[in-house]
């Protein structure tokens, strides 16, 4: 299911695309991680080595995906916040020219 997962992107101020629907993504991750935990409690899981290997592989993938999404949502929130500050006010541009130029260079 994760192989064909598409992110819900929304155009933000006609400039960039942001991910929308974080709650759904995190809920799916939690649901699938919970499913793996339930599978581990099964006697069949412990009896078949291939199940254990696949389970460990998917647990690692989901853990890494969760970490990537956690970082991504944090960066997205911070960028939206700072974008509003630096591009929404001419006063900020005048008062903090070095910070404005730094953000503008990162914003690209």
């Amino acid at each position: 299911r994760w192989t064909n997962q598409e992110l819900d992107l929304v155009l933000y101020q006609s400039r960039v695309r942001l991910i929308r629907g974080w709650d759904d993504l995190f809920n799916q991750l939690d649901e699938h991680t919970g499913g793996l935990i339930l599978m581990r409690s099964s006697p069949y899981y412990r009896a078949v080595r291939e199940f254990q290997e696949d389970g460990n592989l998917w647990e690692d993938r989901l853990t890494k995906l969760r970490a990537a999404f956690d970082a991504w949502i944090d960066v997205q929130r911070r960028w939206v916040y700072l974008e509003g500050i630096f591009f929404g006010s001419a006063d900020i541009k005048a008062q903090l020219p070095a910070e404005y130029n730094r953000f503008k260079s990162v914003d690209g």
Side-chain angles (χ1 to χ4, degrees), residues 12-95:
Y12 179 76
Q13 296 187 357
S14 302
R15 294 187 43 204
V16 297
R17 296 187 187 281
L18 300 177
I19 296 176
R20 178 174 55 184
W22 286 106
D23 290 338
D24 292 338
L25 286 173
F26 285 120
N27 287 338
Q28 285 180 5
L29 277 169
D30 291 343
E31 183 180 310
H32 291 168
T33 302
L36 283 171
I37 291 169
L38 287 175
M39 282 187 237
R40 282 192 163 163
S41 66
S42 166
Y44 299 109
Y45 180 87
R46 285 181 248 125
V48 181
R49 184 158 186 76
E50 289 83 20
F51 287 161
Q52 293 175 14
E53 290 171 0
D54 285 347
N56 290 338
L57 177 67
W58 274 105
E59 182 179 14
D60 183 56
R61 287 176 178 169
L62 292 176
T63 300
K64 288 178 181 176
L65 188 57
R66 177 63 185 235
F69 281 160
D70 283 338
W72 197 335
I73 194 172
D74 185 47
V75 168
Q76 181 172 299
R77 284 181 181 154
R78 289 174 191 241
W79 182 87
V80 168
Y81 174 75
L82 291 172
E83 194 270 346
I85 290 172
F86 287 116
F87 293 135
S89 171
D91 290 340
I92 295 295
K93 181 179 176 181
Q95 292 175 11

